[in-house]
Amino acid sequence: MVDSLPLKNGIGSAGASSLDEVLRAVFGFGSFRANQEEVCRAVVGGADTLLVMPTGSGKSLCYQLPALAVGGTALVVSPLIALMEDQAAKLRELGLSVARIHSGLDRAVSRQACVDYLAGSLQFLFIAPERLRVPGFPELLAKRKPTLIAIDEAHCISQWGHDFRPDYRMLGQYLPALRPAPVIALTATATPTVQRDIVAQLGMVEAQKFIHGFRRENLAIEVAEVPMSMRGEMVCDLLTPAEMRPAIVYAPSRKRAEELALRLREVCSAAAYHAGMAAEMRDEVHREFQAGRLECVVATIAFGMGIDKADVRTVVHVALPATLEGYYQEIGRAGRDGQPSRAILMHSYADQRQHEFFLTRDYPPAESLERVYKALTTEAQPIAEIRARLKMDEEDFARAMEKLYIHGGAEVDFGDNARRGGDGWKKPYARQTNYRREQIALVQRYVDGHECRMAALVLHFGDVEDGRVRCGICDFCKPTSTLATPMRPMTRNEERVLRSVLDTLRNSTGKSLGRLANEVDGGLSRKELDIYLSALARAGLVVVEDAEWIKDGETILYRKASLAAEGERLGPGDELEILMPQSGPGAGSVSGSTTKSGGRKSPIGGNAAKHAKSAPSKVERKTTRPVELSEAGRELEQALKEWRSGVAKRLQIPAFLILHDRTLRAIAEAAPKNLSALGAIAGMGPSKTDKYGEEILTVSRGRSE
Ligand code: ADP
Ligand code: MG
């Protein structure tokens, strides 16, 4: 199979040994890492390939080596300029012939790249996806076909991917003209839904899927229900023993990160890290942590990108993460050195409420979009005027506009003039909203879990085979060694309920959790049932799994519980030995008082319920009044707007997606002189500061001098 491809100027014959040879001779690596060889073989054999492996596992080699083996030019599509530059530089260092084309380069460089490509002298050509929209460029590529097409960070193609990029989505339509080269799509984060979308969007033929490497053997995962008010104290307790550090604590907001860091300083050296801090301070925290002088960082999600600290012992989440993919990335920062490490997640019912609040904020009801849609006409009008007419809050309006734009309900030009688009936006928007809702539900299901935590994550990423293996060290597999959820033997009362659950399941093929909760003697809340089922599943008596039910042509997913073989065998007189969480449901009802560690009678009572009610209203929501700008400020604002339209034109995206008017105004007011001052402005954040910071400062300095 390997020899069936014509080898133009490939290195040697691509037989079994030659892949090894190229690995050593060109890349200087002694051996393949796990799965690399298998993938390289498939690609060299001409198969369309989808590769899903975690960050740092060595995916690039899986297109680079086959590219050299088959010869000719590999076309590499990459969504981030920095990534592209980095990879191109590395390949060039290896003595390979590489060119790249993206918006950050001189025209002459791009032109030369095209000439070299057509002459066939390139081994790799890197392009940004938006290049394909430049008239004539796809045709140019098609004149001399690539021998391999690699799509890096392929999750960006999928509308389900969190970094959904319209430019990437159009990629599929250009590929047929570049065939018959095989297509290899690479990503570190693709759930089965996203995987299916990538394959369909790229028109991949009988794609071979390689989904590997998500299991982390040395990471003991624990998920604990802890009321919000107790989490700070618990984090301090957890991180007091020196062997639990270095540690990263993920907090849900800047404010919480600051508070927790302050508190943790009583235990160890600790600092906050979030997007609202000046860039220099963030860099310093990063450096100090990396160097081992700082033992604990309390971060919002911005921390960890690009951090490569091997000996992080503990990662704590003090709130429910928004997606399982994000959670997995974050806990993956513990124990890169292979030594035993811990990931502890704290959550409660209040977290769920908070996520619901964010969901309705980020995905406003279709009626809000409809209102904006109706205000659009076939004639383009400035979006600022539309907003003024609708008297909508700037943020609400921008959000509605953005959604309409993404889903085709509005056409917006680089000058932020909008006109009415097609009326088909409602369905895709509803689908996207549901997807987000489903993501939250998946996190919730994970924390309510009735199975090995690591297995659940591995399964989530689509590795069905490896997903059957229990890790043996998480709170489910080894409840006796948890830190945040102390276990105790069941009480009498709990035993009665546990037996009733088993009886209700006996002689059935399984029951939905809703039905089971009703049928158990005396009835149970879903939350209580979850705790009892977890205990029974841990003891190997019950299995809880996903099941499907088809209604009106739609597949409805639900959770189903049934007796495991061990549970079937258990007779009424046999002894039960089951561990319950310290704060389990039966504890309060027996003693009549709350336990020390739980501090609540029912999981949604007490503190948790109090927070559930107040949390959403407490979420920072600034409706800033427009600032009165000075003369100079107004001039700067105008200059910034002009700069922004230039960028919009260059990147071919609407200006409001680059920076909101309000952010521009805030910059004009502060007239920042350096990157750290700029980064501290609301609406900037690290990624925007990285991308546009220097340019904005140039505009700002040009005004004030
Ligand atoms: P990914 O794209 O999966 O995040 P990369 O392809 O960037 O990961 O690879 C991560 C690092 O691993 C790179 O520094 C790369 O040089 C190195 N690497 C890849 N394959 C091997 C190998 N077989 N032996 C040693 N190092 C490797
Ligand atoms: Mg990569």
Side-chain angles (χ1 to χ4, degrees):
M1 119 194 137
V2 163
D3 293 317
S4 64
L5 264 194
L7 301 178
K8 274 163 228 148
N9 35 22
I11 298 179
S13 94
S17 63
S18 82
L19 287 182
D20 269 336
E21 264 168 48
V22 182
L23 182 72
R24 265 190 296 272
V26 180
F27 294 93
F29 296 146
S31 59
F32 283 106
R33 282 206 187 142
N35 312 304
Q36 282 179 330
E37 185 169 10
E38 225 186 319
V39 180
C40 288
R41 269 182 203 296
V43 178
V44 170
D48 278 359
T49 306
L50 173 66
L51 175 58
V52 188
M53 294 204 300
T55 306
S57 57
K59 290 186 290 298
S60 317
L61 188 90
C62 298
Y63 76 80
Q64 292 170 348
L65 198 154
L68 297 177
V70 298
T73 309
L75 179 69
V76 188
V77 185
S78 177
L80 283 174
I81 294 180
L83 270 181
M84 203 188 295
E85 288 292 313
D86 182 53
Q87 298 212 351
K90 277 191 184 151
L91 290 172
R92 206 171 280 141
E93 264 171 41
L94 299 176
L96 300 168
S97 160
V98 186
R100 68 253 191 261
I101 300 181
H102 59 69
S103 60
L105 294 170
D106 257 11
R107 236 173 243 169
V109 177
S110 304
R111 215 173 296 132
Q112 188 59 43
C114 292
V115 171
D116 292 344
Y117 176 78
L118 289 177
S121 63
L122 295 179
Q123 287 166 301
F124 295 93
L125 175 64
F126 287 84
I127 63 166
E130 56 267 24
R131 266 291 121 172
L132 290 167
R133 289 213 311 223
V134 175
F137 187 71
E139 290 77 8
L140 179 138
L141 287 179
K143 275 193 199 153
R144 187 182 179 109
K145 300 196 175 189
T147 45
L148 177 69
I149 302 169
I151 317 283
D152 207 1
E153 309 292 335
H155 57 276
C156 299
I157 289 164
S158 169
Q159 62 178 324
W160 309 130
H162 42 83
D163 297 320
F164 170 59
R165 298 246 316 227
D167 275 324
Y168 237 50
R169 194 151 182 83
M170 301 188 337
L171 213 72
Q173 74 194 58
Y174 298 106
L175 294 185
L178 304 175
R179 294 286 202 164
V183 170
I184 172 168
L186 312 105
T187 174
T189 123
T191 58
T193 313
V194 175
Q195 290 165 24
R196 273 193 296 276
D197 202 26
I198 292 172
V199 168
Q201 288 302 318
L202 293 179
M204 293 169 83
V205 190
E206 292 177 14
Q208 288 212 29
K209 293 188 185 173
F210 296 91
I211 298 142
H212 291 303
F214 289 97
R215 174 174 299 273
R216 292 286 310 279
E217 309 270 0
N218 60 329
L219 194 55
I221 303 177
E222 188 175 333
V223 177
E225 197 176 323
V226 183
M228 283 199 176
S229 59
M230 292 181 64
R231 294 180 198 172
E233 190 185 329
M234 187 170 269
V235 172
C236 289
D237 286 351
L238 282 169
L239 298 184
T240 299
E243 66 270 19
M244 296 293 284
R245 312 189 295 255
I248 304 175
V249 178
Y250 286 102
S253 68
R254 299 171 183 190
K255 198 164 147 252
R256 285 286 286 146
E258 299 274 1
E259 286 168 5
L260 263 176
L262 194 65
R263 221 171 146 174
L264 266 166
R265 263 177 229 144
E266 286 168 27
V267 174
C268 61
S269 55
Y273 183 101
H274 56 71
M277 283 161 52
E280 284 104 57
M281 270 174 74
R282 280 203 312 265
D283 288 347
E284 191 181 328
V285 171
H286 213 154
R287 244 191 341 267
E288 292 294 291
F289 187 62
Q290 188 80 40
R293 288 186 291 268
L294 183 63
E295 290 177 292
C296 178
V297 171
V298 187
T300 56
I301 44 163
F303 187 75
M305 310 276 266
I307 184 166
D308 196 12
K309 189 169 173 58
D311 62 347
V312 174
R313 293 276 70 85
T314 311
V315 168
V316 183
H317 284 83
V318 290
L320 199 66
T323 66
L324 278 184
E325 292 92 275
Y327 168 70
Y328 178 83
Q329 292 269 348
E330 285 155 11
I331 64 172
R333 294 185 179 122
R336 296 230 167 125
D337 56 4
Q339 297 303 309
S341 311
R342 288 201 178 251
I344 299 163
L345 162 59
M346 300 178 195
H347 73 102
S348 73
Y349 178 71
D351 293 77
Q352 214 177 320
R353 293 281 304 264
Q354 194 126 12
H355 280 297
E356 273 158 28
F357 171 80
F358 285 130
L359 180 74
T360 32
R361 188 200 61 181
D362 296 342
Y363 293 86
E367 295 81 66
S368 291
L369 273 66
E370 180 85 42
R371 223 181 121 205
V372 176
Y373 180 70
K374 283 203 173 126
L376 299 173
T377 55
T378 45
E379 203 91 333
Q381 356 164 24
I383 58 174
E385 281 174 22
I386 306 174
R387 182 175 80 83
R389 255 200 334 262
L390 289 174
K391 297 198 175 63
M392 269 172 86
D393 169 74
E394 188 176 323
E395 210 162 308
D396 293 345
F397 177 80
R399 210 162 265 133
M401 200 69 206
E402 183 177 336
K403 302 293 181 200
L404 282 173
Y405 167 75
I406 289 175
H407 297 291
E411 288 171 22
V412 188
D413 66 17
F414 324 132
D416 274 2
N417 300 299
R419 62 167 153 200
R420 192 177 273 203
D423 61 2
W425 54 269
K426 274 190 196 158
K427 248 201 183 143
Y429 179 63
R431 227 189 299 136
Q432 190 71 37
T433 312
N434 285 337
Y435 178 68
R436 185 66 203 105
R437 187 170 294 126
E438 181 63 20
Q439 278 186 311
I440 297 171
L442 282 171
V443 177
Q444 191 60 44
R445 191 182 288 177
Y446 169 78
V447 300
D448 291 342
H450 308 281
E451 60 197 325
C452 165
R453 305 286 180 190
M454 188 53 80
L457 289 173
V458 168
L459 257 183
H460 176 72
F461 285 99
D463 192 340
V464 183
E465 202 176 311
D466 194 26
R468 292 200 200 105
V469 183
R470 278 171 70 155
C471 76
I473 52 176
C474 69
D475 61 346
F476 180 85
C477 294
K478 205 176 171 196
T480 46
S481 64
T482 55
L483 297 179
T485 330
M487 292 286 177
R488 55 164 174 75
M490 63 186 172
T491 62
R492 276 259 189 73
N493 221 342
E494 285 165 343
E495 176 169 4
R496 189 187 51 74
V497 181
L498 288 162
R499 285 192 188 272
S500 170
V501 173
L502 292 172
D503 289 344
T504 314
L505 288 174
R506 212 171 294 283
N507 303 323
S508 81
T509 53
K511 289 184 175 167
S512 78
L513 300 196
R515 192 169 149 206
L516 183 59
N518 284 333
E519 290 183 8
V520 168
D521 193 20
L524 286 175
S525 73
R526 271 299 293 273
K527 198 73 222 180
E528 287 167 336
L529 179 69
D530 269 336
I531 295 168
Y532 286 112
L533 280 178
S534 282
L536 289 167
R538 271 195 302 267
L541 300 172
V542 161
V543 180
V544 183
E545 58 201 338
D546 286 331
E548 284 180 5
W549 177 49
I550 298 183
K551 189 191 170 199
D552 302 335
E554 268 199 63
T555 311
I556 295 168
L557 279 178
Y558 70 102
R559 300 284 281 170
K560 175 181 122 172
S562 51
L563 287 186
E566 192 80 3
E568 300 267 14
R569 272 196 296 274
L570 192 85
D574 292 339
E575 218 172 284
L576 266 188
E577 245 180 78
I578 288 178
L579 292 174
M580 295 292 287
Q582 193 69 265
S583 54
S589 54
V590 171
S591 63
S593 68
T594 53
T595 58
K596 181 171 172 282
S597 77
R600 60 205 189 280
K601 282 195 184 104
S602 104
I604 55 168
N607 286 320
K610 194 172 92 216
H611 279 268
K613 279 198 200 92
S614 58
S617 59
K618 264 208 291 193
V619 173
E620 301 164 40
R621 189 186 170 97
K622 287 171 246 148
T623 30
T624 36
R625 252 169 277 128
V627 272
E628 278 295 323
L629 288 175
S630 63
E631 179 76 16
R634 270 202 304 277
E635 275 178 25
L636 177 53
E637 185 184 21
Q638 195 47 41
L640 286 167
K641 278 197 175 152
E642 279 161 28
W643 161 80
R644 187 178 59 177
S645 348
V647 180
K649 224 173 249 172
R650 197 170 76 217
L651 301 180
Q652 311 239 323
I653 54 173
F656 77 94
L657 288 184
I658 297 171
L659 286 178
H660 285 183
D661 281 352
R662 203 192 16 221
T663 311
L664 284 193
R665 209 176 303 131
I667 298 173
E669 192 197 14
K673 295 280 178 294
N674 51 43
L675 283 179
S676 65
L678 180 64
I681 289 173
M684 281 304 295
S687 91
K688 300 219 163 175
T689 309
D690 284 350
K691 245 192 255 166
Y692 308 121
E694 292 295 349
E695 291 184 38
I696 293 175
L697 288 181
T698 311
V699 176
S700 170
R701 284 193 202 110
R703 284 283 119 192
S704 53
E705 270 152 25

